[in-house]
Amino acid sequence: MKMSEDHTGTVAGIDVGGTKISIGLVDADGRIVRSARYPMDRREQASALGSIDRALDDFMSGGSRSAREPLAIGLCMPGQIDPARGAWVHCLSIPIGSEVPLAALLQERYGAPAFLDNDVKAATLAEQRWGGGRGHADFVYVNVGTGIACGIVSGGQLVRGAGNYAGEIGHMSVDPSGAPCKCGSRGCLENIASGGGMISRVRELLPQFPDSSLHGLERSGGLNSSAVFAAYRQGDALAAKVSEDAVAALETALVSLVNLTNPQAVILGGGVFRDEWLAGRLREHVAAHSMPAARKSLASFQLSQLTASDVGLLGAASLAWEGIK
């Protein structure tokens, strides 16, 4: 996103992830006027909440006076969120086991209204406000990174479900006889096709492929989904197995998602889509295998226009702008 020197009329967006916390001031046009990143200590709930407090205190103490007084604060994070109560209810990747009323705590601390939501739902709102969702009343945003989830917009409204848990397609079973998942099911999409799932599968299968180039990447710390896809294109047998399984699982899930939601647009985001050929493969498969009526309505199938490193921060900011409109 473009940077601006104007600090007036901004909100604070806070993107809480498993390894880092990104904070920025964002204006109404989606321009990030100042931002910083901080470490996340996720060993336990108390250390994770302490990381958020320290990061926000440091960020709010910097810059001009107006920079310290945002119109509102928006936070997004993984797990189950209750936006109406501003509560972080539960999370597995960051150990939140007891509910935290973060919005009320931050509002009292900083004197600005605060709003919370799940990270992928927030990113979906950012796509609707500033990205590929503009002009589409019905679209889905599919995030494939360390995990997998999607946001669904129908009739211009974000679909939340009864417990704000709609869109968890990462736990759609695409292989009922597959490996067990921590959710209790088997063959979940996330375990096969997410960045984290692909790396776990490579590590599990490495002993069966002693000549794989992925051994060297594992030793050097360079193992990630992009490296696996690159090795696949170079003919590595292990990379081919993991990559083809991931692509097939995503193809199955996206056809089902398109048939179920009948969107005008599919927007793909997350680190796994750094390899643009993957989006092309999925686009072709959805065009060939979705139901004719759903296929006819699908006008756009594209990568996110928002920078991957910024979309979470922009999602958090969109919560704040939406909350005070």
Side-chain angles (χ1 to χ4, degrees):
M1 301 297 291
K2 294 180 180 179
M3 304 295 285
S4 166
E5 296 303 321
D6 180 13
H7 286 218
T8 64
T10 58
V11 300
I14 306 164
D15 175 24
V16 178
T19 59
K20 62 177 174 54
I21 301 167
S22 297
I23 306 179
L25 294 172
V26 181
D27 71 14
D29 294 322
R31 291 187 293 258
I32 301 170
V33 302
R34 183 167 71 90
S35 65
R37 291 191 178 186
Y38 301 89
M40 162 60 88
D41 181 350
R42 60 174 182 176
R43 289 174 298 173
E44 57 186 14
Q45 178 165 317
S47 63
L49 297 175
S51 295
I52 297 171
D53 285 344
R54 287 189 296 274
L56 195 48
D57 278 347
D58 180 80
F59 186 84
M60 291 296 209
S61 68
S64 66
R65 178 175 175 82
S66 60
R68 296 194 297 271
E69 297 177 352
L71 299 173
I73 300 171
L75 298 91
C76 67
M77 57 273 291
Q80 186 178 9
I81 314 298
D82 186 335
R85 294 188 295 114
W88 196 359
V89 178
H90 183 260
C91 186
L92 290 175
S93 58
I94 299 173
I96 302 300
S98 59
E99 186 174 299
V100 184
L102 263 181
L105 292 172
L106 294 180
Q107 182 164 334
E108 180 179 358
R109 189 167 184 169
Y110 298 106
F115 307 91
L116 267 67
D117 211 338
N118 168 268
D119 50 3
V120 174
K121 287 183 174 62
T124 304
L125 293 174
E127 291 288 350
Q128 185 180 37
R129 180 179 289 267
W130 296 308
R134 287 175 296 180
H136 297 297
D138 300 271
F139 73 91
V140 292
Y141 169 73
V142 182
N143 185 281
V144 183
T146 304
I148 299 178
C150 78
I152 303 165
V153 172
S154 179
Q157 299 297 313
L158 181 66
V159 175
R160 295 188 173 278
N164 197 40
Y165 213 62
E168 291 296 327
I169 61 166
H171 293 285
M172 173 191 295
S173 178
V174 293
D175 180 9
S177 61
C181 177
K182 60 186 177 184
C183 75
S185 187
R186 285 183 171 271
C188 286
L189 175 65
E190 187 168 290
N191 290 347
I192 300 170
S194 70
M198 290 177 66
I199 292 169
S200 294
R201 293 200 72 218
V202 166
R203 288 172 174 161
E204 177 186 350
L205 294 171
L206 271 172
Q208 301 176 33
F209 294 84
D211 298 325
S212 173
S213 62
L214 300 182
H215 282 278
L217 290 172
E218 168 69 354
R219 287 192 296 270
S220 68
L223 186 61
N224 55 46
S225 60
S226 293
V228 175
F229 287 138
Y232 165 44
R233 292 193 289 271
Q234 294 168 5
D236 186 284
L238 171 55
K241 175 173 178 53
V242 172
S243 298
E244 286 293 347
D245 286 351
V247 171
L250 286 170
E251 288 172 342
T252 297
L254 283 175
V255 167
S256 297
L257 185 61
V258 167
N259 288 341
L260 179 67
T261 63
N262 187 203
Q264 296 168 302
V266 173
I267 303 166
L268 305 175
V272 170
F273 288 113
R274 284 191 296 264
D275 288 87
E276 294 191 13
W277 72 271
L278 176 58
R281 282 277 301 266
L282 297 176
R283 184 184 298 110
E284 292 173 2
H285 187 86
V286 168
H289 296 280
S290 56
M291 296 294 290
R295 181 165 65 244
K296 184 178 180 180
S297 301
L298 186 60
S300 176
F301 191 107
Q302 61 173 302
L303 291 171
S304 173
Q305 301 169 13
L306 303 179
T307 305
S309 59
D310 291 338
V311 67
L313 193 158
L314 291 172
S318 72
L319 298 175
W321 282 117
E322 182 70 16
I324 60 175
K325 70 177 183 180

